[in-house]
Amino acid sequence: MDVADLGLPVDVPSTALFTDQYELTMLQAALRAGTAGRRSVFEVFTRRLPEGRRYGVVAGTGRVLDAVENFRFDAGVLGFLRERKIVDEATLEWLASYRFSGDVWGYPEGEVYFPGSPVMRVEGSFAECVLLETVILSILNHDSAIAAAASRMSSAAGRRPLIEMGARRTHELAAVAASRAAYVGGFATTSDLAAGFRYGIPTVGTSAHAFTLLHDTERDAFRAQVESLGRGTTLLVDTYDVSEAVRAAVEVAGPELGAVRIDSGDLLLVAHRVRQQLDELGATDTKIVVTSDLDEYAIASLAAAPVDAYGVGTQLVTGSGHPTCSMVYKLVARAESDDPKAPLVPVAKKSSGGKTSIGGRKWAARRPDADGVAEAEVVGTGQVPAELAGHQLQVELVKGGEVVAREPLDVVRDRHAAARAGLPLSATQLSRGEPVLATEYVQGRSGN
């Protein structure tokens, strides 16, 4: 088991300022009003999936757990808040000893979700829970968007492996998170070494066009790469003439050449031509890797092509047109007083414009049909119906401020594959459609 999957192999700074200012001003006002200590329940959910998408993917949970653990107001952070006069001294004193001591429940990472699914539930005092809103949303919205795109791409690719190679198309830190989310969604490897170091994701990479252009001839470039990396390397064959490059590649490396990469042109047509040429040259085991602005639709269009692997960059790290999941973090229940035994009462936003919410602490279950295929996402408050007790989705992630649910990334990746396989077949259709499962609400008391 790789320790990179279970904790932080590198030091990270405090996450306390990965927040919006109004979280702190709300805290200050609640402390003055005497309401900051009220037991509260916040939930993360989305009111709708991105247009046309049939399911969402929960990703980033492991990063949320890290962020909660590192949410600390050290001297430097407190000095910044004091200098800017963002909050008063009483609030600064409270923040100095901040440690989240509540509970977090949620869908296990890699699980799928639908509109209204209580993806994460955070419980504790209002003060300690409200501060976590922005950092939780920033992680879940980003990572879940990337994982959803990755899931669609891996479904379109079938058994062919996918390489994540989008680091140069996004922020350098977002690239590491995107690589992790892509792995959850079904990608096999990444080109980003920081992701490999941080999360233990397998890394790959050989050469770019610049390496070919550096040398006097394409053959010289191929020879240099093969002598350095071995005959099993992947040679980039579209710098000049593809046909000539393939011939030179096999002559230099022999039929043991690992793979050729095609990065431009009509990939469907070129792949067929290259496969035929490789076979005629005796390189029948040499694989073909294609790159060049691929998305799930382009990958699906190459299903009948003699392609062995896909490299995806821009469309993946931008969520293939949907870079966020529009998840929100809403207070759904709170106690009537600071008394730890005070009952919870449901609260909900009732404004117009489609931004309403449903009050009460919620459970979630996925009801299967007679064949074991999911047929509905059931969300409710109060007692869980007996027939759904064995199908509940939420698991305990943090108990009394201590993380209790870290797990290897490969476990998360396998969970997603199983969750997607448990949905109706129409879930993996790339055509626009409604969520593949309807969300049913069972209303009851919010409970304590």
Side-chain angles (χ1 to χ4, degrees):
M1 183 180 296
D2 192 332
V3 296
D5 293 325
L6 299 177
L8 289 169
V10 293
D11 291 334
V12 298
S14 166
T15 54
L17 292 185
F18 293 167
T19 191
D20 291 305
Q21 181 167 320
Y22 76 175
E23 313 292 5
L24 299 186
T25 53
M26 282 192 288
L27 169 64
Q28 176 178 304
L31 288 170
R32 286 192 178 187
T35 53
R38 290 186 175 184
R39 189 159 55 108
S40 300
V41 180
F42 287 82
E43 288 178 348
V44 177
F45 62 94
T46 185
R47 296 181 176 94
R48 63 191 65 83
L49 296 180
E51 184 179 359
R53 294 284 174 88
R54 297 170 185 261
Y55 64 93
V57 180
V58 178
T61 308
R63 296 208 308 121
V64 166
L65 299 181
D66 291 343
V68 171
E69 279 192 334
N70 287 277
F71 206 90
R72 303 283 188 270
F73 292 84
D74 57 26
V77 170
L78 292 170
F80 165 78
L81 297 176
R82 180 176 289 110
E83 178 185 349
R84 297 291 182 94
K85 294 181 170 52
I86 291 173
V87 290
D88 61 21
E89 284 298 323
T91 305
L92 290 171
E93 183 178 347
W94 188 93
L95 291 173
S97 59
Y98 178 86
R99 299 290 187 273
F100 179 73
S101 63
D103 302 327
V104 180
W105 289 72
Y107 282 36
E109 190 166 15
E111 185 54 85
V112 297
Y113 71 89
F114 299 91
S117 295
V119 169
M120 187 169 286
R121 187 175 76 229
V122 182
E123 301 188 31
S125 70
F126 175 84
E128 62 181 336
C129 294
V130 75
L131 294 181
L132 299 176
E133 174 180 6
T134 303
V135 69
I136 287 177
L137 288 180
S138 66
I139 293 172
L140 293 181
N141 269 315
H142 174 269
D143 290 23
S144 297
I146 306 304
S151 178
R152 286 163 60 85
M153 292 174 188
S154 66
S155 177
R159 295 181 179 274
R160 297 171 178 176
L162 290 158
I163 307 163
E164 184 280 311
M165 47 196 305
R168 64 190 61 198
R169 297 291 186 256
T170 188
H171 185 280
E172 67 271 18
L173 297 182
V176 182
S179 180
R180 182 186 184 281
Y183 192 70
V184 169
F187 274 58
T189 55
T190 179
S191 66
D192 187 29
L193 290 177
F197 173 71
R198 174 66 181 82
Y199 297 113
I201 301 169
T203 59
V204 295
T206 51
S207 67
H209 292 104
F211 187 76
T212 301
L213 296 170
L214 169 68
H215 292 80
D216 295 337
T217 68
E218 192 169 45
R219 187 178 297 269
D220 288 342
F222 289 168
R223 186 176 297 111
Q225 183 174 328
V226 170
E227 289 177 355
S228 174
L229 301 177
R231 297 178 185 273
T233 191
T234 300
L235 297 176
L236 182 58
V237 295
D238 72 324
T239 305
Y240 304 119
D241 179 85
V242 173
S243 179
E244 289 299 319
V246 170
R247 181 175 292 105
V250 176
E251 289 176 358
V252 168
E256 300 85 11
L257 174 62
V260 295
R261 178 163 74 95
I262 307 166
D263 189 49
S264 60
D266 183 335
L267 297 179
L268 179 62
L269 175 63
V270 176
H272 277 286
R273 288 178 175 174
V274 168
R275 182 74 269 162
Q276 181 179 354
Q277 186 179 9
L278 286 170
D279 291 346
E280 290 173 350
L281 293 170
T284 55
D285 292 330
T286 299
K287 299 185 183 303
I288 298 174
V289 180
V290 295
T291 54
S292 185
D293 293 326
L294 297 177
D295 62 9
E296 60 265 48
Y297 302 103
I299 291 169
S301 73
L302 293 168
V307 172
D308 298 288
Y310 306 92
V312 189
T314 303
Q315 292 302 317
L316 174 68
V317 299
T318 57
S320 196
H322 297 289
T324 182
C325 303
S326 299
M327 291 182 182
V328 295
Y329 183 96
K330 297 298 180 184
L331 181 66
V332 296
R334 52 88 174 168
E336 296 176 321
S337 71
D338 287 351
D339 184 345
K341 296 182 180 180
L344 290 173
V345 294
V347 293
K349 183 177 179 179
K350 299 298 183 183
S351 61
S352 60
K355 287 192 172 183
T356 59
S357 58
I358 297 174
R361 177 205 277 146
K362 299 172 194 68
W363 50 262
R366 189 162 297 143
R367 187 175 67 233
D369 63 15
D371 297 317
V373 178
E375 66 175 8
E377 191 89 340
V378 186
V379 176
T381 57
Q383 188 78 21
V384 180
E387 66 273 16
L388 294 177
H391 303 286
Q392 294 184 75
L393 293 164
Q394 294 158 314
V395 298
E396 194 169 30
L397 301 172
V398 178
K399 182 176 183 179
E402 297 295 325
V403 174
V404 296
R406 278 205 176 88
E407 54 190 356
L409 203 53
D410 282 334
V411 171
V412 175
R413 189 170 184 265
D414 291 344
R415 177 183 293 120
H416 174 63
R420 188 176 65 190
L423 297 176
L425 288 176
S426 58
T428 57
Q429 290 179 340
L430 295 181
S431 57
R432 290 180 177 272
E434 296 299 313
V436 71
L437 296 185
T439 303
E440 300 177 2
Y441 290 97
V442 178
Q443 293 290 339
R445 293 182 304 158
S446 63
N448 289 326

